[in-house]
Amino acid sequence: EVQLVESGGGLEQPGRSLRLSCTVSGLTFGDYAMSWFRQAPGKGLEWVGFIRSKTYGAATQYAASVKGRFTISRDESKSIAYLQMNSLKTEDTAVYYCSTFAVYRADYWGQGTLVAVSS
Amino acid sequence: QSALTQPPSASGSPGQSVTISCTGTSSDVGTYNFVSWYQHHPGKAPKLMIYDVSKRPSGVPDRFSGSKSGNTASLTVSGLQTEDEADYYCSSYAGVNNISFGGGTKLTVL
């Protein structure tokens, strides 16, 4: 069974940093690109960014709203994808989801982790 | 404001069919056949229902179908069941490795 489990969410102040983890099991992690999405309270889903597999150089792409502040990385030995969030803003408050990512679609999703940014 | 436009709500009775639209532009839906639909029960993991406009992942009932005409994609749910009540989101590749989403449609099974 494929499982994706996000962790690392919580309450943080504006301007601070937070790192989310996405632990993957049930598939060969190295074969998959990974993506992060978020859903702000009362809003729809928003794509945050993705990281290609190591085969494709682990290249990354980001939404304009987070580019320069957020960084996605991956650890093949642990089957974990990370989302490093710097210079947090109140508008980054959301539930953050990770997913596997193939040809611009998200096949498997985690259940999300809540990030709240407030002073 | 979302890049793709969906109706905020849709409804139907059990056994009926309902279609949810997703309107984009020639920069996304109108050009690329990378339109996906996701079902989201609040508090749970979203689920991929349709990809590449009209393909169904393994395990998704054939009651769910997708199509596209011009800049508008559509998701049709036939033979509505109570468990189909959820939020549905469309997404589309929008060029330069960018992904756009619709604002979501709350489907109510009456």
Side-chain angles (χ1 to χ4, degrees):
Chain A
E1 180 192 7
V2 176
Q3 281 197 317
L4 286 76
V5 180
E6 301 93 340
S7 59
L11 175 63
E12 191 52 87
Q13 294 179 334
R16 303 290 294 267
S17 299
L18 207 57
R19 188 179 79 162
L20 306 183
S21 299
C22 172
T23 304
V24 180
S25 60
L27 52 78
T28 304
F29 181 71
D31 289 346
Y32 287 83
M34 298 296 298
S35 189
W36 287 90
F37 300 83
R38 65 185 181 182
Q39 184 175 31
K43 303 290 187 181
L45 291 169
E46 177 188 13
W47 170 69
V48 172
F50 68 79
I51 184 168
R52 297 190 188 279
S53 66
K54 213 173 180 182
T55 302
Y56 292 93
T60 55
Q61 291 289 339
Y62 301 96
S65 57
V66 306
K67 197 170 186 178
R69 298 189 300 123
F70 288 11
T71 302
I72 300 173
S73 60
R74 57 192 298 152
D75 185 331
E76 310 298 322
S77 67
K78 297 180 180 178
S79 297
I80 296 178
Y82 297 102
L83 177 65
Q84 177 69 43
M85 303 185 293
N86 297 333
S87 303
L88 283 165
K89 304 177 181 180
T90 55
E91 52 263 41
D92 295 322
T93 294
V95 175
Y96 284 75
Y97 298 93
C98 68
S99 77
T100 60
F101 198 62
V103 197
Y104 309 115
R105 70 178 186 266
D107 295 293
Y108 301 104
W109 295 68
Q111 292 208 325
T113 186
L114 177 62
V115 171
V117 183
S118 174
S119 54
Chain B
Q1 188 171 348
S2 301
L4 307 180
T5 300
Q6 297 181 235
S9 63
S11 63
S13 300
Q16 289 187 332
S17 294
V18 64
T19 297
I20 299 171
S21 62
C22 169
T23 301
T25 69
S26 58
S27 298
D28 39 58
V29 175
T31 293
Y32 303 102
N33 288 324
F34 297 127
V35 176
S36 301
W37 289 90
Y38 301 93
Q39 178 190 66
H40 189 204
H41 291 101
K44 297 196 172 182
K47 179 182 178 182
L48 177 66
M49 305 302 284
I50 296 288
Y51 68 97
D52 293 355
V53 176
S54 59
K55 297 178 182 176
R56 268 189 316 276
S58 173
V60 172
D62 60 6
R63 302 185 295 102
F64 291 85
S65 62
S67 63
K68 188 183 86 166
S69 177
N71 296 337
T72 299
S74 298
L75 172 72
T76 297
V77 186
S78 305
L80 272 173
Q81 299 183 3
T82 54
E83 59 262 36
D84 299 333
E85 185 162 298
D87 298 323
Y88 290 83
Y89 293 91
C90 64
S91 77
S92 174
Y93 180 61
V96 198
N97 291 305
N98 189 28
I99 311 295
S100 294
F101 269 90
T105 298
K106 182 177 180 61
L107 175 60
T108 301
V109 181
L110 303 169

